[in-house]
């Protein structure tokens, strides 16, 4: 990951999507987007608009923070929502006992 120089909350972009937290690099580009998703459903912008904001020419990270009971149910929702936007998400892989990873 590139060095994060600043953080912004409720970071509205041209797409009008509003991730809860954005980590910006030295050029002001979002390289980290964090969305707290406890029991609310996904918005139409999630995850496609958020993924579109991340750099195409380098690393970036989209992180959904969810409670443990929702960990395995959020991924299928993200896959379906991304597919509606023409994006393909890879299968999720466990990363420890409390995280899923898709690369």
């Amino acid at each position: 990951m590139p060095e994060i120089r600043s953080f912004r909350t409720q970071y509205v972009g041209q797409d009008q999507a509003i991730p809860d937290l954005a980590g910006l690099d030295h050029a002001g580009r979002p390289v980290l987007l964090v969305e707290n998703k406890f029991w609310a459903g996904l918005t139409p912008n999630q995850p496609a608009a958020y993924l579109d904001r991340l750099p195409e020419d380098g690393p970036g990270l989209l992180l959904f923070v969810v409670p443990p009971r929702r960990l395995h149910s959020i991924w299928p929702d993200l896959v379906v929502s991304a597919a509606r936007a023409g994006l393909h998400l890879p299968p999720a892989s466990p990363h420890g006992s409390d995280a899923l990873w898709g690369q």
Side-chain angles (χ1 to χ4, degrees), residues 39-64:
W39 298 111
L42 297 174
T43 71
N45 293 317
Q46 298 168 339
Y50 293 5
L51 290 169
D52 285 343
R53 282 200 204 174
L54 295 174
E56 291 182 19
D57 61 346
L61 176 65
L62 172 58
L63 175 68
F64 280 82

Side-chain angles (χ1 to χ4, degrees), residues 71-72 75 90-103:
L71 181 63
H72 293 283
W75 196 265
S93 299
H95 187 71
S97 63
D98 58 355
L100 294 175
W101 171 265
Q103 188 172 2

Side-chain angles (χ1 to χ4, degrees), residues 14-92:
Q14 292 178 336
D15 55 17
Q16 299 305 304
I18 309 171
D20 293 322
L21 181 68
L24 310 176
D25 69 5
H26 69 281
R29 297 182 313 168
V31 293
L32 168 68
L33 297 175
V34 179
E35 181 67 21
N36 297 313
K37 195 52 77 173
F38 295 97
W39 298 111
L42 297 174
T43 71
N45 293 317
Q46 298 168 339
Y50 293 5
L51 290 169
D52 285 343
R53 282 200 204 174
L54 295 174
E56 291 182 19
D57 61 346
L61 176 65
L62 172 58
L63 175 68
F64 280 82
V65 177
V66 301
R69 288 187 0 210
R70 193 169 186 196
L71 181 63
H72 293 283
S73 67
I74 190 88
W75 196 265
D77 294 343
L78 291 167
V79 168
V80 168
S81 183
R84 283 191 206 117
L87 298 175
H88 171 74
L89 294 183

